Amino acid sequence: MTQVPVNTSVLNENQRIAGRLRDEFAASGTLCLNFISSPGSGKTALLEKTLEFLPREVRAAVLTGDLQTDNDARRLARYGYPVRQITTVGACHLDARMVEKHLEGWRLADIDLLLIENVGNLVCPTSYELGEEAKIVVLSVTEGEDKPLKYPGIFRKAQLMILNKIDLLPYVPFEAELARENARRIHPEIEIIETSCTSGAGLDTWMDWLQRRMAHKAPRAAAAGVETYF
Amino acid sequence: MTQVPVNTSVLNENQRIAGRLRDEFAASGTLCLNFISSPGSGKTALLEKTLEFLPREVRAAVLTGDLQTDNDARRLARYGYPVRQITTVGACHLDARMVEKHLEGWRLADIDLLLIENVGNLVCPTSYELGEEAKIVVLSVTEGEDKPLKYPGIFRKAQLMILNKIDLLPYVPFEAELARENARRIHPEIEIIETSCTSGAGLDTWMDWLQRRMAHKAPRAAAAGVETYF
């Protein structure tokens, strides 16, 4: 069987940079999350809602990857947090070097939460660590329940699956219970939250998850009281 | 900017094999189509409808790519045509060698129409020719109108865009006219057909397109009368 022509040395170099980023995020108390999904599953809309509902004392920043446009960065910049577009010029995933380069000029000590929106692709981004604390896979209910079985790599690595666009459940032949079962067949411990950015359903659960993760992460900032913005 | 680590020699080797396949398809009068889309845009359902509505005298065959499962092959095999699964074991696209290998034992002279369902991925399959006469990109209306701008490579190379799941238009914030405009900004000559495999809308237009392409392709088989099946 022909294997994907990913150069091992490229992956090793990526691991090295990702390790450095992970150390830096640990030192600064920054929670870094890497969002991965198919094109059009609603990652950007989910991040918009996240920025909208985030308590104002949380100092968030966003890196958003795209092959070509800066549409997503413009959408996300409206919420008043620092946002940078990573345009990959055709590359099918973000890598750690792109993240490192696009963090230049930002003080990590001033970032409690770094949200990274990967290129829309369920396959390739899985292999490239970005120094994140957790990968979050977003699956929309229009994509079919079988996706965890067909793209097991990302469902195995993700700590959380966000099952999105649940407002469309009445109109599509999608069994949410089967999707959950399939995800757990691949990754028994995966957490699952169901959301709709249109109706708002489940967003409170998602924001609770996020805040629980942040509470573990940045006790110093919370204790000191946060005053500076970018 | 970091580039995708695709080895040029890998692409050159792929082009060489794809060229050989293209010659073989031309010699046998086989119309080969390469279907590319995001995961969950409805490629398999479209191929199911295609096989269901195909005139019985057309000798079709299907190769369907997937990272891990043979779900799609099992779905497609129900229509009585020869179907083979290409399991890429993690690779994010089909390549010409996989196609060549999985054609072994089939007589191309007995295949009028070869449908190849690529791995669900809007990026990587674009770079790998499979000897096909045309690429067809499938975009579902749940994915957003901006996808042609964000993933221009495939929309530039595809001869036809199938805008699928139009039965969901009342429930999603999708402007079909804007999607068509975006596709034509990237590729002014792209043909566009709108379909729903749920309601059946547009499938007659798609089948007409397919039969027009086949009429140009296999006059010998049509004139001789087709008797042999696999």
Side-chain angles (χ1 to χ4, degrees), chain A:
Chain A
M1 185 62 62
T2 310
Q3 287 292 320
V4 58
V6 171
N7 194 321
T8 311
S9 69
V10 169
L11 282 179
N12 287 346
E13 171 70 0
N14 189 76
Q15 284 295 100
R16 200 180 56 74
I17 302 171
R20 190 163 68 210
L21 286 170
R22 186 168 284 113
D23 290 346
E24 290 171 6
F25 295 146
S28 61
T30 303
L31 173 64
C32 176
L33 300 174
N34 179 5
F35 291 77
I36 296 177
S37 80
S38 304
S41 66
K43 282 188 301 306
T44 312
L46 180 70
L47 292 185
E48 287 182 296
K49 289 295 175 190
T50 304
L51 297 179
E52 181 182 338
F53 294 140
L54 209 58
R56 299 311 293 181
E57 68 272 18
V58 175
R59 301 169 304 172
V62 183
L63 295 178
T64 178
D66 207 348
L67 268 69
Q68 207 66 253
T69 73
D70 64 352
N71 293 2
D72 292 347
R74 283 188 281 115
R75 281 171 63 181
L76 292 163
R78 293 179 299 192
Y79 296 86
Y81 296 93
V83 175
R84 283 187 181 156
Q85 183 79 47
I86 304 179
T87 307
T88 66
V89 198
C92 50
H93 59 271
L94 296 182
D95 64 34
R97 188 182 296 281
M98 299 178 196
V99 169
E100 190 173 57
K101 183 176 152 70
H102 286 78
L103 287 173
E104 275 174 22
W106 282 356
R107 261 173 46 88
L108 284 185
D110 295 334
I111 301 179
D112 305 320
L113 175 64
L114 178 63
L115 304 166
I116 304 181
E117 179 182 5
N118 221 307
V119 174
N121 184 331
L122 268 187
V123 190
C124 313
T126 310
S127 304
Y128 291 81
E129 301 283 327
L130 306 178
E132 71 272 16
E133 183 167 307
K135 290 181 177 61
I136 296 176
V137 62
V138 183
L139 175 68
S140 97
V141 302
T142 65
E143 295 173 53
E145 313 90 348
D146 56 346
K147 293 303 168 289
L149 305 181
K150 296 181 75 173
Y151 302 86
I154 180 55
F155 289 88
R156 196 170 289 130
K157 287 194 177 176
Q159 289 186 23
L160 172 66
M161 169 170 96
I162 293 187
L163 192 57
N164 197 25
K165 304 195 188 182
I166 59 168
D167 56 293
L168 295 178
L169 278 174
Y171 314 115
V172 293
F174 185 93
E175 295 176 46
E177 182 50 35
L178 181 56
R180 287 189 291 265
E181 278 177 30
N182 287 340
R184 291 185 178 124
R185 272 176 63 184
I186 299 298
H187 181 174
E189 292 80 26
I190 197 167
E191 297 179 77
I192 300 173
I193 294 175
E194 303 186 2
T195 57
S196 164
C197 296
T198 306
S199 72
L203 291 176
D204 49 349
T205 310
W206 155 238
M207 296 307 293
D208 286 347
W209 186 96
L210 186 58
Q211 297 217 62
R212 273 201 313 278
R213 293 302 290 247
M214 293 193 57
H216 288 292
K217 196 68 197 172
R220 289 170 304 166
V226 174
E227 290 173 4
T228 51
Y229 271 73
F230 288 85

